[in-house]
Amino acid sequence: MSTTSSSAQKASRMTSHERREHVQIVQEKLSDRQMRTNLTSAMHTLQHNRGELITHKYIDWQGLRCQAQAVKTASLQNLSERLQAFEKHATANGIQVHWASSAEDACAVILEIIRANKVQHVLKGKSMASEEIGLNAYLRKHGVIAEETDLGELILQLNHEPPVHIVVPAIHRNRHEVGQIFAQNLNVPLVSEPEALNNIARHHLRNEFQGLKLGISGVNFALAEEGAIWLLENEGNGRMCTTAPDIHVALCGIEKVVGSMEDAATLMHLLTPSATGQFIPAYQNIITGPRKTDSHSTETKTGTSADLDGPKQVHVVLFDHNRTSMLQDPDFAAALRCLRCGACMNFCPVYDKIGGHSYQTTYPGPIGEVISPQLFGLDQVGDILSFCSQCQRCSEVCPERIPLANLIRTLRAFKNKQISDSARTTNLRGYASTKEDKAKTLTMRLFAKAATNGTLWRFALGHAHSFNFLVQRFGPYLPVSGQWAKVKTLPQMRDNFYRELQQLPDVEIED
């Protein structure tokens, strides 16, 4: 498979000027009290709902996590066979399967389907995959209007914002802000009651669904044995996008393919509790093919029966976009088990403070720090690796038991050239060290040498006070300590510095 496409790179590329602004956007978000209040309240609610559900509804949550890990691991280890089986069975069901190597290829395939059917306006269900490949911008560039139907995505599209979260994209906006967005863009009165806001969105979208010819969706699970796709949602807009139009196009990353419906059911029972604290989603759409006509009808006790609704064409676009490279990497293949539940974000103390927009890439939070360098290139989005306190919360709550904190630490080491890149993916090999990176690497190597030698470590700490003046005077201009000094005060190393460290209480970390 090919490396990152030019369109995806452009969508997520950060120039040196933008990297300098990366610090600025974090400072802006930290100063945005309304955003932080909205986000903190929502995150705590999601955390509470998840905890209550696991405690009262599940007998063996940890056992289910292990089972789900085994399901995804088996699917990834046999990915080629599963993909071929899915194509065979889906084609037999009447689904048209398309293959795309890069993000740009996937966009081009969808545009070709749209043009072949002479469509100029499409409606979309929620799909982070479409965000990843920059589909909306690509279609707009080619004269096609793509309108979001998920309530959160619609709010952000009207406000010209990217999603802040992969499950609840507008979670940083409260009802008063949503009312203002609707009033400014939909020519409606200014209201703030949730029921009134929902009515406005419903009325607007119902008008759009009338006469809809083509709908686009994502895919939660692709079932190899059944040749079907499984979509989970809570609003019903996804069902409208896949049932109301004549043509349904589903965009599916190749890692979404699992063996069977039983495998997908196992994952579903982890996905929704982790994402929103629900036992099951409000809507589950299992699509096995296009509408059956009289000539392809099913047999019933009273004779033949054609389907009364559903699309006349169903297309599934299976795209890679560097997932094959991730699968070949022994360290990062585990990240492909991700169910896109967002639990790692919901519990991340850094995300909680700065929000998803600070990451400036499609996937924020801990999972974004792991997969974004794989998808878009370490040289493009490597800055976000600093958005991690290594508290291990993400690893603890991930339903697929992905060791996210460890993977972030591994990427940090690779970014600083502390590990060999002989077996790395193309995107990671593409990272070019700057002089600043090389200085950091040398500093960290010297630190590692001292920290792994007991005698040298005790000597260094015992005599650290001798260098206190130099540290305070030149620390802000030195590698590593300079980054610290931008936001914190450098420690005063007194003559009893080593003894103070020895007296600090031990901190126990639960496994």
Side-chain angles (χ1 to χ4, degrees), residues 29 35 38-47 50 126-129 131-132 148 150-154 156 161-173 271-277 338-348 350-368 397:
K29 297 303 178 183
M35 184 276 293
N38 297 344
L39 200 60
T40 299
S41 174
M43 294 295 100
H44 290 175
T45 298
L46 292 172
Q47 293 170 15
R50 175 184 180 274
K126 189 176 183 304
S127 168
M128 288 306 297
E131 295 283 346
E132 176 187 327
E148 301 290 348
D150 174 83
L151 179 57
E153 293 281 3
L154 173 63
L156 297 181
E161 287 184 88
V164 77
H165 192 285
I166 64 175
V167 176
V168 276
I171 200 168
H172 62 305
R173 296 294 180 190
L271 173 54
T272 47
S274 299
T276 58
C338 176
L339 302 177
R340 301 294 192 269
C341 70
C344 59
M345 301 174 202
N346 299 344
F347 284 82
C348 177
V350 177
Y351 177 93
D352 182 75
K353 300 298 184 294
I354 65 176
H357 289 162
S358 296
Y359 294 77
Q360 301 185 86
T361 187
T362 304
Y363 300 105
I367 186 62
V397 301

Coordinates of all heavy atoms in Angstrom, one line a residue, residues 29 35 38-47 50 126-129 131-132 148 150-154 156 161-173 271-277 338-348 350-368 397:
K29 N -6.6 27.9 24.7 CA -7.6 27.0 25.2 C -7.6 26.9 26.7 O -8.6 26.8 27.4 CB -7.4 25.6 24.6 CG -7.6 25.5 23.1 CD -9.0 26.0 22.7 CE -9.1 26.0 21.2 NZ -10.4 26.5 20.8
M35 N -15.1 27.1 27.5 CA -14.8 25.8 26.9 C -14.4 24.8 27.9 O -14.8 23.7 27.9 CB -13.7 26.0 25.8 CG -13.3 24.7 25.0 SD -12.2 23.6 25.9 CE -10.7 24.6 25.8
N38 N -17.4 23.7 30.0 CA -18.3 22.8 29.2 C -17.6 21.4 29.1 O -18.3 20.4 29.3 CB -18.5 23.4 27.8 CG -19.2 24.7 27.8 OD1 -19.8 25.1 28.8 ND2 -19.2 25.4 26.6
L39 N -16.4 21.4 28.8 CA -15.7 20.2 28.5 C -15.5 19.4 29.8 O -15.8 18.1 29.9 CB -14.3 20.4 28.0 CG -13.6 19.3 27.2 CD1 -14.4 18.8 26.0 CD2 -12.2 19.7 26.7
T40 N -15.2 20.0 30.9 CA -15.0 19.3 32.2 C -16.3 18.7 32.7 O -16.4 17.6 33.1 CB -14.4 20.3 33.3 OG1 -13.2 20.8 32.8 CG2 -14.3 19.6 34.6
S41 N -17.4 19.5 32.6 CA -18.7 19.0 33.0 C -19.1 17.7 32.2 O -19.5 16.7 32.7 CB -19.7 20.1 32.8 OG -21.0 19.6 33.1
A42 N -18.9 17.8 30.9 CA -19.2 16.7 30.0 C -18.3 15.5 30.3 O -18.8 14.3 30.3 CB -19.1 17.1 28.5
M43 N -17.0 15.7 30.4 CA -16.1 14.6 30.7 C -16.5 13.9 32.0 O -16.5 12.6 32.0 CB -14.7 15.1 30.7 CG -14.1 15.6 29.4 SD -14.0 14.4 28.1 CE -15.5 14.8 27.2
H44 N -16.8 14.6 33.0 CA -17.1 14.0 34.3 C -18.4 13.2 34.2 O -18.5 12.2 34.9 CB -17.2 15.1 35.4 CG -15.8 15.7 35.7 ND1 -15.7 16.7 36.6 CD2 -14.6 15.4 35.3 CE1 -14.4 17.0 36.7 NE2 -13.7 16.2 35.9
T45 N -19.3 13.7 33.4 CA -20.6 13.0 33.3 C -20.3 11.7 32.6 O -20.9 10.6 33.0 CB -21.6 13.8 32.4 OG1 -21.9 15.0 33.1 CG2 -22.9 13.1 32.2
L46 N -19.5 11.7 31.5 CA -19.2 10.4 30.8 C -18.5 9.5 31.7 O -18.7 8.2 31.6 CB -18.4 10.8 29.5 CG -19.1 11.5 28.4 CD1 -18.2 12.0 27.3 CD2 -20.2 10.7 27.8
Q47 N -17.6 10.0 32.5 CA -16.8 9.1 33.4 C -17.7 8.4 34.4 O -17.7 7.2 34.6 CB -15.7 9.9 34.1 CG -14.6 10.4 33.3 CD -13.7 11.4 34.0 OE1 -13.8 11.5 35.2 NE2 -12.9 12.2 33.2
R50 N -20.1 5.8 32.7 CA -19.3 4.6 32.4 C -19.1 3.7 33.7 O -19.3 2.5 33.7 CB -18.0 4.9 31.8 CG -17.1 3.7 31.5 CD -15.8 4.2 31.0 NE -14.9 3.0 30.7 CZ -14.1 2.5 31.6 NH1 -14.1 2.9 32.9 NH2 -13.3 1.5 31.3
K126 N -22.4 10.4 10.7 CA -21.2 10.6 11.4 C -20.1 9.7 11.0 O -20.3 8.4 11.0 CB -21.4 10.5 12.9 CG -20.2 11.0 13.7 CD -20.5 11.0 15.2 CE -19.3 11.5 16.0 NZ -18.0 10.8 15.6
S127 N -18.9 10.2 10.6 CA -17.8 9.3 10.2 C -16.5 10.0 10.4 O -16.2 11.0 9.7 CB -18.0 9.0 8.7 OG -16.8 8.4 8.2
M128 N -15.7 9.6 11.4 CA -14.4 10.1 11.6 C -13.5 9.7 10.4 O -12.5 10.4 10.1 CB -13.8 9.6 12.9 CG -14.4 10.3 14.1 SD -14.4 12.1 14.1 CE -12.7 12.4 14.1
A129 N -13.8 8.6 9.8 CA -13.0 8.2 8.6 C -13.0 9.3 7.5 O -12.0 9.6 6.8 CB -13.5 6.9 8.1
E131 N -13.5 12.4 8.0 CA -12.7 13.5 8.5 C -11.2 13.3 8.3 O -10.5 14.2 7.9 CB -12.9 13.7 10.0 CG -14.3 14.2 10.4 CD -14.6 15.6 10.1 OE1 -13.6 16.4 9.9 OE2 -15.8 16.0 10.1
E132 N -10.9 12.0 8.5 CA -9.5 11.6 8.3 C -9.0 11.9 6.9 O -7.8 12.3 6.6 CB -9.3 10.2 8.7 CG -7.9 9.6 8.4 CD -7.8 8.1 8.7 OE1 -8.6 7.6 9.5 OE2 -7.0 7.4 8.0
E148 N -23.5 17.5 6.8 CA -23.6 16.6 8.0 C -25.0 16.5 8.6 O -25.7 17.5 8.6 CB -22.6 17.1 9.1 CG -21.2 17.3 8.6 CD -20.5 15.9 8.4 OE1 -21.1 14.9 8.8 OE2 -19.4 15.9 7.9
D150 N -25.4 14.3 11.6 CA -25.2 14.1 13.1 C -25.4 15.5 13.7 O -24.8 16.5 13.2 CB -23.9 13.5 13.3 CG -23.6 13.5 14.8 OD1 -24.0 12.5 15.5 OD2 -22.9 14.4 15.3
L151 N -26.1 15.6 14.8 CA -26.4 16.9 15.4 C -25.1 17.6 15.8 O -24.9 18.8 15.5 CB -27.2 16.7 16.7 CG -27.6 18.0 17.4 CD1 -28.3 19.0 16.5 CD2 -28.4 17.7 18.7
G152 N -24.1 16.9 16.4 CA -22.9 17.6 16.8 C -22.1 18.0 15.5 O -21.6 19.2 15.5
E153 N -22.0 17.2 14.5 CA -21.3 17.5 13.3 C -22.0 18.7 12.6 O -21.3 19.5 12.0 CB -21.2 16.3 12.4 CG -20.4 15.1 12.9 CD -18.9 15.4 12.7 OE1 -18.5 16.4 12.2 OE2 -18.1 14.5 13.1
L154 N -23.3 18.7 12.6 CA -24.1 19.8 11.9 C -23.7 21.1 12.6 O -23.5 22.1 11.9 CB -25.6 19.5 12.0 CG -26.5 20.6 11.5 CD1 -26.3 20.9 10.0 CD2 -28.0 20.3 11.8
L156 N -21.1 22.0 14.2 CA -19.7 22.4 13.9 C -19.6 22.8 12.5 O -18.8 23.7 12.1 CB -18.7 21.2 14.2 CG -18.6 20.8 15.7 CD1 -17.6 19.7 15.8 CD2 -18.3 22.0 16.6
E161 N -16.1 24.7 12.3 CA -15.2 24.1 13.2 C -15.0 22.6 12.9 O -15.9 21.9 12.5 CB -15.7 24.2 14.6 CG -15.7 25.5 15.3 CD -16.2 25.4 16.7 OE1 -15.4 25.2 17.6 OE2 -17.4 25.5 16.9
P162 N -13.8 22.1 13.2 CA -13.6 20.6 13.2 C -14.1 20.0 14.4 O -14.3 20.7 15.4 CB -12.1 20.5 13.0 CG -11.5 21.7 13.7 CD -12.5 22.8 13.5
P163 N -14.3 18.7 14.5 CA -14.8 18.0 15.7 C -13.7 18.2 16.8 O -12.5 18.2 16.6 CB -14.9 16.6 15.2 CG -15.0 16.6 13.8 CD -14.2 17.8 13.3
V164 N -14.2 18.3 18.0 CA -13.3 18.4 19.2 C -13.2 17.0 19.8 O -12.3 16.8 20.7 CB -13.9 19.4 20.2 CG1 -15.1 18.8 21.0 CG2 -12.8 19.9 21.1
H165 N -14.0 16.0 19.5 CA -14.0 14.7 20.1 C -14.5 13.7 19.0 O -15.3 14.1 18.2 CB -15.0 14.7 21.3 CG -14.9 13.5 22.2 ND1 -15.4 12.3 21.9 CD2 -14.4 13.4 23.5 CE1 -15.2 11.5 22.9 NE2 -14.6 12.1 23.9
I166 N -14.0 12.5 19.1 CA -14.4 11.5 18.0 C -15.8 10.9 18.2 O -16.3 10.4 17.2 CB -13.3 10.4 17.9 CG1 -13.3 9.6 19.2 CG2 -12.0 11.0 17.6 CD1 -12.3 8.4 19.0
V167 N -16.3 11.0 19.4 CA -17.7 10.5 19.6 C -18.7 11.6 19.8 O -19.8 11.6 19.2 CB -17.7 9.6 20.8 CG1 -19.1 9.1 21.1 CG2 -16.8 8.4 20.6
V168 N -18.4 12.6 20.6 CA -19.3 13.7 20.8 C -18.6 15.0 20.3 O -18.0 15.7 21.0 CB -19.6 13.8 22.3 CG1 -20.8 12.9 22.6 CG2 -18.4 13.5 23.2
P169 N -18.7 15.2 19.0 CA -17.8 16.2 18.3 C -18.0 17.7 18.8 O -17.1 18.5 18.7 CB -18.2 16.1 16.8 CG -19.6 15.5 16.8 CD -19.6 14.6 18.0
A170 N -19.2 18.0 19.3 CA -19.5 19.4 19.7 C -19.6 19.5 21.3 O -20.4 20.3 21.8 CB -20.8 19.9 19.1
I171 N -19.0 18.6 22.0 CA -19.1 18.5 23.4 C -18.6 19.8 24.1 O -18.9 20.0 25.3 CB -18.4 17.3 24.0 CG1 -19.0 16.9 25.3 CG2 -16.9 17.5 24.0 CD1 -18.5 15.5 25.8
H172 N -17.8 20.6 23.4 CA -17.3 21.8 24.0 C -18.2 23.0 23.9 O -17.9 24.1 24.4 CB -16.0 22.2 23.4 CG -16.1 22.5 21.9 ND1 -16.7 21.6 21.0 CD2 -15.8 23.6 21.2 CE1 -16.7 22.1 19.8 NE2 -16.1 23.3 19.9
R173 N -19.4 22.8 23.3 CA -20.4 23.8 23.1 C -21.6 23.6 24.0 O -22.1 22.5 24.0 CB -20.9 23.9 21.7 CG -19.8 24.3 20.7 CD -19.3 25.7 21.0 NE -18.3 26.1 20.0 CZ -17.5 27.3 20.1 NH1 -17.8 28.1 21.2 NH2 -16.6 27.6 19.3
L271 N -18.0 -1.1 23.3 CA -17.9 0.2 22.6 C -18.9 1.2 23.2 O -18.5 2.3 23.6 CB -18.2 0.0 21.1 CG -18.3 1.3 20.3 CD1 -17.1 2.2 20.5 CD2 -18.5 1.0 18.8
T272 N -20.2 0.9 23.3 CA -21.1 1.9 23.8 C -21.0 2.3 25.2 O -21.1 3.4 25.6 CB -22.6 1.4 23.5 OG1 -22.7 0.1 23.9 CG2 -22.9 1.5 22.0
P273 N -20.7 1.3 26.2 CA -20.5 1.7 27.5 C -19.2 2.6 27.7 O -19.2 3.6 28.4 CB -20.2 0.4 28.3 CG -20.9 -0.6 27.4 CD -20.7 -0.2 26.0
S274 N -18.2 2.3 26.9 CA -17.0 3.1 27.0 C -17.1 4.5 26.4 O -16.5 5.5 26.8 CB -15.8 2.4 26.3 OG -15.6 1.1 26.9
A275 N -18.0 4.6 25.3 CA -18.1 5.8 24.6 C -19.1 6.8 25.3 O -18.7 8.0 25.6 CB -18.7 5.6 23.2
T276 N -20.3 6.3 25.7 CA -21.3 7.2 26.2 C -21.9 6.8 27.6 O -22.8 7.4 28.1 CB -22.4 7.4 25.2 OG1 -23.0 6.1 24.9 CG2 -21.9 8.1 24.0
G277 N -21.5 5.6 28.1 CA -22.0 5.1 29.3 C -23.4 4.5 29.1 O -24.2 4.4 30.0
C338 N -8.2 -0.2 18.1 CA -9.0 0.9 18.6 C -10.5 0.8 18.0 O -10.7 0.6 16.8 CB -8.4 2.2 18.2 SG -9.4 3.6 18.7
L339 N -11.5 0.9 18.9 CA -12.9 0.9 18.5 C -13.4 2.3 18.3 O -14.6 2.4 17.9 CB -13.7 0.2 19.6 CG -13.3 -1.2 20.0 CD1 -14.2 -1.7 21.2 CD2 -13.4 -2.2 18.8
R340 N -12.6 3.3 18.5 CA -13.0 4.7 18.3 C -14.1 5.0 19.4 O -15.1 5.7 19.0 CB -13.5 5.0 16.9 CG -12.5 4.8 15.8 CD -11.3 5.7 15.9 NE -10.5 5.7 14.7 CZ -9.4 4.9 14.5 NH1 -9.1 4.1 15.5 NH2 -8.8 4.9 13.4
C341 N -13.9 4.6 20.6 CA -14.9 4.9 21.6 C -14.7 6.2 22.3 O -15.6 6.7 22.9 CB -14.9 3.7 22.7 SG -13.5 3.7 23.7
G342 N -13.5 6.7 22.3 CA -13.1 8.0 22.9 C -12.9 7.9 24.4 O -12.8 9.0 25.1
A343 N -12.9 6.7 25.0 CA -12.8 6.6 26.5 C -11.4 7.2 26.9 O -11.3 7.8 28.0 CB -12.9 5.2 26.9
C344 N -10.4 7.0 26.1 CA -9.1 7.6 26.5 C -9.1 9.1 26.6 O -8.4 9.7 27.5 CB -8.0 7.1 25.5 SG -8.3 7.6 23.8
M345 N -9.9 9.7 25.8 CA -10.1 11.2 25.9 C -10.9 11.6 27.1 O -10.6 12.6 27.8 CB -10.8 11.7 24.6 CG -10.0 11.4 23.3 SD -11.0 11.9 21.9 CE -10.2 10.8 20.7
N346 N -11.9 10.8 27.3 CA -12.8 11.1 28.5 C -12.1 11.1 29.8 O -12.5 11.8 30.7 CB -14.0 10.2 28.5 CG -14.8 10.2 27.2 OD1 -14.7 11.1 26.4 ND2 -15.6 9.2 27.0
F347 N -11.0 10.4 29.9 CA -10.3 10.2 31.2 C -8.9 10.9 31.2 O -8.2 10.9 32.2 CB -10.1 8.8 31.5 CG -11.4 8.1 32.1 CD1 -12.3 7.6 31.2 CD2 -11.6 8.0 33.4 CE1 -13.5 7.0 31.7 CE2 -12.7 7.4 33.9 CZ -13.7 6.9 33.0
C348 N -8.6 11.6 30.0 CA -7.3 12.2 29.9 C -7.2 13.5 30.6 O -8.0 14.4 30.2 CB -6.9 12.3 28.5 SG -5.3 13.2 28.2
V350 N -5.0 15.8 30.4 CA -4.5 16.9 29.5 C -5.6 17.3 28.5 O -5.9 18.5 28.3 CB -3.3 16.4 28.7 CG1 -2.8 17.4 27.7 CG2 -2.2 16.0 29.7
Y351 N -6.3 16.3 27.9 CA -7.4 16.6 27.0 C -8.5 17.4 27.7 O -9.1 18.4 27.2 CB -8.0 15.3 26.4 CG -9.2 15.6 25.5 CD1 -9.1 15.7 24.1 CD2 -10.5 15.7 26.1 CE1 -10.2 15.9 23.3 CE2 -11.6 15.9 25.3 CZ -11.4 16.0 23.9 OH -12.5 16.2 23.1
D352 N -8.7 17.1 28.9 CA -9.7 17.7 29.8 C -9.5 19.2 29.9 O -10.4 20.0 30.0 CB -9.8 17.1 31.1 CG -10.8 17.7 32.0 OD1 -12.0 17.4 31.8 OD2 -10.5 18.4 32.9
K353 N -8.2 19.6 29.8 CA -7.8 21.0 30.0 C -7.7 21.8 28.7 O -8.0 23.0 28.7 CB -6.5 21.1 30.8 CG -6.5 20.4 32.2 CD -7.5 21.1 33.1 CE -7.5 20.6 34.5 NZ -7.9 19.1 34.5
I354 N -7.2 21.1 27.7 CA -6.9 21.9 26.4 C -7.9 21.6 25.3 O -7.9 22.3 24.3 CB -5.5 21.6 26.0 CG1 -5.3 20.2 25.5 CG2 -4.5 22.0 27.0 CD1 -4.0 19.8 25.0
G355 N -8.7 20.6 25.4 CA -9.7 20.3 24.4 C -9.1 19.7 23.1 O -7.8 19.7 22.9
G356 N -9.9 19.2 22.2 CA -9.5 18.4 21.1 C -8.8 19.3 20.0 O -8.0 18.9 19.2
H357 N -9.3 20.6 19.9 CA -8.7 21.4 18.8 C -7.3 21.7 19.0 O -6.6 22.1 18.0 CB -9.5 22.7 18.8 CG -10.9 22.6 18.2 ND1 -11.9 23.5 18.4 CD2 -11.5 21.6 17.5 CE1 -13.0 23.1 17.9 NE2 -12.8 21.9 17.3
S358 N -6.8 21.6 20.2 CA -5.3 21.9 20.5 C -4.4 20.9 19.7 O -3.3 21.3 19.4 CB -5.0 21.9 22.0 OG -5.7 22.9 22.6
Y359 N -4.9 19.8 19.4 CA -4.1 18.7 18.8 C -3.9 19.0 17.3 O -3.0 18.5 16.7 CB -4.7 17.4 19.0 CG -4.8 16.9 20.4 CD1 -5.7 17.4 21.3 CD2 -3.8 16.0 20.9 CE1 -5.7 17.0 22.6 CE2 -3.8 15.5 22.2 CZ -4.8 16.0 23.1 OH -4.8 15.6 24.4
Q360 N -4.8 19.8 16.7 CA -4.7 20.2 15.3 C -4.6 19.0 14.4 O -3.8 19.1 13.4 CB -3.6 21.2 15.1 CG -3.8 22.5 15.9 CD -2.7 23.5 15.6 OE1 -2.8 24.3 14.7 NE2 -1.6 23.5 16.4
T361 N -5.3 17.9 14.7 CA -5.3 16.8 13.8 C -6.6 16.1 14.0 O -7.3 16.4 14.9 CB -4.1 15.8 14.1 OG1 -4.0 14.8 13.1 CG2 -4.2 15.2 15.5
T362 N -6.9 15.1 13.1 CA -8.2 14.5 13.1 C -8.5 13.8 14.4 O -9.6 14.0 14.9 CB -8.3 13.5 11.9 OG1 -8.0 14.1 10.7 CG2 -9.7 12.9 11.8
Y363 N -7.6 13.0 14.9 CA -7.8 12.2 16.1 C -7.1 12.9 17.3 O -5.9 12.8 17.3 CB -7.4 10.8 15.9 CG -8.1 10.1 14.8 CD1 -7.4 9.9 13.6 CD2 -9.4 9.7 14.9 CE1 -8.1 9.2 12.5 CE2 -10.1 9.0 13.8 CZ -9.4 8.8 12.6 OH -10.0 8.2 11.6
P364 N -7.8 13.5 18.2 CA -7.2 14.1 19.4 C -7.0 13.0 20.5 O -7.3 11.9 20.3 CB -8.1 15.2 19.8 CG -9.5 14.6 19.4 CD -9.3 13.8 18.2
G365 N -6.5 13.5 21.7 CA -6.4 12.6 22.8 C -5.3 11.6 22.7 O -4.5 11.6 21.7
P366 N -5.2 10.7 23.7 CA -4.2 9.7 23.7 C -4.1 8.8 22.4 O -3.0 8.6 21.8 CB -4.5 8.9 24.9 CG -5.2 9.8 25.8 CD -6.0 10.7 24.9
I367 N -5.3 8.4 21.9 CA -5.3 7.5 20.7 C -4.8 8.3 19.5 O -4.1 7.8 18.6 CB -6.7 6.9 20.4 CG1 -6.6 5.9 19.3 CG2 -7.7 8.0 20.2 CD1 -5.7 4.8 19.5
G368 N -5.1 9.6 19.5 CA -4.6 10.5 18.4 C -3.1 10.7 18.4 O -2.5 10.7 17.4
V397 N -8.3 2.5 31.0 CA -9.8 2.5 30.6 C -10.0 2.0 29.2 O -11.2 1.7 28.8 CB -10.3 3.9 30.7 CG1 -10.2 4.4 32.2 CG2 -9.7 4.9 29.8

